[in-house]
Amino acid sequence: MPNLTNITLQLAHQSNTTTLYQDFEIQLDSNLLLQLMASYNLKASDVTGDYVFNSLVFEQFVKTEPYNGGNSVLKNTTHAISRWPQKLSWSQLNQQINNFLLAWLNDYKLGANLDVAFLLTRCLELKSNKNVQFQSLLTHLIARVTNQLEQYKFSYVQNFDLDTGLPNQHLLLNLLNLSLNNNKSLSNNQVSDLSKLANPAESAHLGLILVNLNINYGEVSQLNSASSSLMLAAMHTIQQHLSDDATLFHLGAIDLAILINPLKSPTQLNLIATKLLHAFETALPLENITLILNPYFGAISTFNIQTNAISLYEHARLALNQAIVKNEQIKIYDQNISSSFMNSQLLDEAIIEALQQNELSLFLQPIVTINDHSSPDKTNTTEKCASAEVLLRWPSQEWQSISPARLLDVIYKKGFGRVFIRWLINNACQRCAELASTYQHHVSLTINLSSSDLLDSDLPELLWQSIALWNIPAGSLTIEITENDILVDEVKVLKVLDQIVKLGCKIALDDFGTGYSSMARLRNMPINIVKIDQSFVRNISTSTQDKAIVKSIIKLAHSLGKEVIAEGVEDLACLNILKEMNCEKIQGYYYGKPMSFEDFTIWLGAFKMQ
């Protein structure tokens, strides 16, 4: 059985115009030539001679603007016409015309102009009363072969990726259709030879593996300016480990597909994917960097399901998505994946509907001050709650225990990020106003923003509008960010944060100590509050290392004039240690879990009474 990869690599290599056309051939057989001649009232005996190249006409022609226009490179065509034999037998004429058309195609690939080629044919004359018809025939043949070449090019682009030379998704689906439907054939003449690959007599079953190379081009480009070669290196690695019955396809920037025909057993899919995983355990041969990829594989076979090409591909895509979401390197499709996908789709729709119907709610978790460094003597240790963190919740009876991370992931992926952040800011400002006016509690609220929010230049204006609408002090809002959010585009994020600070809002840096360059961020960004990640805080009463880390973070933050909030405080022992370290504020279950607004007001009243 022929291998599609070998065939396609003969058809194309890199994105090079010359190699793109190199396999296009034109052979005008004698029967077809006679038919075309008949339409111009020409017989074989009319065109065997005498021919003459009219040098005077040519000299006038080369002086014209079209010929010298820069887009009329006609070296090969001129050579073929100027050396046209005076007398030709019928078979010689047939060959001469094929050579002439080939010469024209070589010029056309280099940018020659079709109209100029028509004019050039006037320099070749047939010394008979059939000259006009003959010259018209030549222009017809030039136009015909040019059109064929353009159709070939269009078919190539439709079916092959120009950068890698691999067949693309369009051709993959055609081949799947051809394999799954015994009597169908590919519509593109260019790839008709590939139908042998889908011969049902030779292949009872097919296997399809989709590959996500798990490449972060943003990170790679920082390491190596030639990151575009990464796909080619990965492709080469895969091809080295595929047998003749497997064919590689290019689907997207970091996505490939492998078609196995015939597939002998369903277990073969797992074996191929495992083999490729082992192959990627070695660093790719790239300049200046060492990079090991950790790709994901989603696979399906006609052993699993009997369906059409589109469904087979989509089921493989579901398996790949499942592998990525669950962080499993290899996932073979089964019916549970479809059920899980359907439930996921229904959940996504329900989340967006909940946002649009104002069914999402904000819970508040208290942030308690235990060391008030703002007091004149710096020794006031009276506990008070003057702030709280706003946390997203969805009190749904049908969809229970949906994490905030899942809610936010769906909202932003579905394009409702700006709608959500407007809702979040407005509701937070409203809660601040209600706490002050209705309950006489002056509590500042902290809201979490994502990297996409911080890249929105309209964010400061949105904050100002909500603050003005609810008539609250700007200092009642604290914007909480993480180091990863800053790293997306530090320059742009800094501009947005500076405008937020000018409004009077505060900035808190969350998850401090878990980032890459915390001290540099702490020094250079307009940060008022440092929140120590709970992974360091929770065990400080039993872990000397965690205790030392927390102590050093507090000292560092204080030396730079920042307030400190310790997250994840769950017991009295942890609290007492933080008091000794002069940590100002505490957040954690020791004082209170996240609670609804109504419950928070009750808790706050009771806490003040204590």
Side-chain angles (χ1 to χ4, degrees), residues 75-85 96 99-100 103 124:
K75 179 179 178 181
N76 295 295
T77 313
T78 301
H79 183 273
I81 284 184
S82 63
R83 286 165 175 74
W84 198 282
Q96 182 67 21
N99 292 338
F100 164 72
L124 181 63

Side-chain angles (χ1 to χ4, degrees), residues 65 98 150 159 279 307 485:
E65 183 177 346
N98 277 320
E150 286 300 317
N159 291 286
T307 183
D485 296 328

Side-chain angles (χ1 to χ4, degrees), residues 410-440:
V410 171
I411 288 170
Y412 280 87
K413 281 186 176 180
K414 296 292 184 179
F416 285 83
R418 296 194 72 177
V419 175
F420 168 74
I421 202 63
R422 183 179 295 275
W423 174 87
L424 174 64
I425 292 172
N426 187 65
N427 274 267
C429 291
Q430 181 183 358
R431 294 309 188 196
C432 273
E434 289 181 13
L435 285 169
S437 61
T438 305
Y439 299 96
Q440 306 304 309

Side-chain angles (χ1 to χ4, degrees), residues 31-274:
N31 291 330
L32 179 57
L33 180 57
L34 282 173
Q35 293 176 21
L36 295 173
M37 286 168 51
S39 63
Y40 289 93
N41 197 25
L42 289 170
K43 301 189 295 291
S45 58
D46 294 329
V47 293
T48 54
D50 294 321
Y51 290 99
V52 62
F53 177 72
N54 193 324
S55 57
L56 293 176
V57 174
F58 180 74
E59 288 174 6
Q60 291 298 319
F61 168 67
V62 297
K63 295 176 182 179
T64 61
E65 183 177 346
Y67 188 84
N68 294 312
N71 194 34
S72 55
V73 185
L74 287 168
K75 179 179 178 181
N76 295 295
T77 313
T78 301
H79 183 273
I81 284 184
S82 63
R83 286 165 175 74
W84 198 282
Q86 183 179 6
K87 290 276 189 181
L88 292 163
S89 67
W90 169 246
S91 60
Q92 289 173 334
L93 175 68
N94 195 172
Q95 186 60 48
Q96 182 67 21
I97 287 178
N98 277 320
N99 292 338
F100 164 72
L101 294 177
L102 181 60
W104 156 244
L105 287 180
N106 289 330
D107 288 336
Y108 183 69
K109 296 169 193 176
L110 298 174
N113 185 284
L114 184 61
D115 292 332
V116 181
F118 291 159
L119 295 174
L120 181 60
T121 60
R122 299 295 183 262
C123 300
L124 181 63
E125 298 177 357
L126 178 61
K127 293 300 182 180
S128 75
N129 59 357
K130 298 290 187 178
N131 180 53
V132 173
Q133 292 92 325
F134 172 72
Q135 290 181 341
S136 297
L137 173 67
L138 284 185
T139 59
H140 176 104
L141 294 174
I142 290 174
R144 180 178 179 275
V145 74
T146 304
N147 182 59
Q148 288 178 326
L149 182 61
E150 286 300 317
Q151 289 180 352
Y152 174 90
K153 178 183 176 182
F154 177 76
S155 176
Y156 185 97
V157 172
Q158 286 283 96
N159 291 286
F160 295 87
D161 174 64
L162 294 180
D163 290 328
T164 63
L166 290 179
N168 61 19
Q169 180 180 333
H170 181 266
L171 184 51
L172 171 62
L173 293 175
N174 273 340
L175 286 175
L176 286 174
N177 263 323
L178 188 61
S179 302
L180 297 170
N181 302 284
N182 298 349
N183 299 319
K184 290 187 177 180
S185 61
L186 291 175
S187 59
N188 298 293
N189 294 331
Q190 174 194 345
V191 292
S192 59
D193 289 341
L194 305 179
S195 61
K196 299 173 185 177
L197 285 170
N199 188 342
E202 298 182 29
S203 174
H205 286 285
L206 301 175
L208 179 63
I209 302 174
L210 301 189
V211 186
N212 179 282
L213 294 174
N214 195 17
I215 299 171
N216 186 329
Y217 273 110
E219 293 179 0
V220 172
S221 63
Q222 296 174 8
L223 302 172
N224 179 17
S225 59
S227 60
S228 59
S229 63
L230 186 54
M231 169 60 87
L232 295 177
M235 181 188 80
H236 180 68
T237 298
I238 293 175
Q239 286 177 319
Q240 283 184 315
H241 294 83
L242 292 182
S243 58
D244 289 340
D245 55 8
T247 304
L248 188 62
F249 294 77
H250 181 274
L251 303 182
I254 57 173
D255 292 314
L256 299 165
I258 302 168
L259 177 63
I260 304 98
N261 186 1
L263 185 73
K264 302 176 180 64
S265 166
T267 58
Q268 193 177 348
L269 295 174
N270 210 348
L271 291 173
I272 293 172
T274 302

